[in-house]
Amino acid sequence: MTSRRSPASLDCQTCGACCCNSDENRAENYPWYVEIESTCKLLARADLVQRYVVRDPDRVPHVRLDDDGRCSALVGRLGRNVHCAVYAQRPRGCRRVQPGDEACLRARRERGIDPA
């Protein structure tokens, strides 16, 4: 049984762990991160698409990752002070992770941020 931390005790703006490619993806050399659905507001802005979107070989849009595996829209120092440059336009996959859920806690453990 995994214990969950209170969402109130987990501050996303001092974390950013879920904004990094997972260890599982990295182990499989899977470079595509969060898929962007066609209705996502991010795709409606050419300036944001150019900066934050990459397409896989099948032309499916994904959030661009920096060379270190971080989402290109993540601003700040991981585990210290971060924010999302496209928060209002972020894809559904980004919206799914909630403070204290399994995905959140796994990402924190993988990045060594306040392991729970």
Side-chain angles (χ1 to χ4, degrees):
M1 174 190 234
T2 303
S3 65
R4 287 186 174 217
R5 297 219 8 226
S6 162
S9 69
L10 299 171
D11 180 7
C12 297
Q13 292 184 330
T14 59
C15 184
C18 65
C19 301
C20 298
N21 202 3
S22 70
D23 286 352
E24 180 180 4
N25 278 357
R26 293 159 48 128
E28 295 177 10
N29 290 323
Y30 190 71
W32 315 114
Y33 187 49
V34 176
E35 186 174 323
I36 303 171
E37 64 280 1
S38 62
T39 58
C40 182
K41 294 178 183 179
L42 180 62
L43 296 177
R45 298 222 1 227
D47 60 325
L48 297 180
V49 169
Q50 182 177 4
R51 187 166 183 179
Y52 301 116
V53 177
V54 64
R55 295 185 184 271
D56 69 16
D58 294 324
R59 305 294 301 148
V60 175
H62 294 264
V63 174
R64 181 184 307 276
L65 294 173
D66 290 339
D67 291 338
D68 62 359
R70 288 172 40 133
C71 173
S72 60
L74 185 64
V75 179
R77 187 168 172 206
L78 195 67
R80 297 286 182 170
N81 183 11
V82 295
H83 70 275
C84 177
V86 295
Y87 188 80
Q89 295 88 13
R90 71 194 187 283
R92 186 178 322 177
C94 298
R95 295 171 188 272
R96 285 189 190 128
V97 178
Q98 296 296 310
D101 72 8
E102 289 303 316
C104 165
L105 297 178
R106 181 181 62 247
R108 284 174 172 265
R109 284 190 301 271
E110 288 179 358
R111 302 293 153 252
I113 298 171
D114 191 28

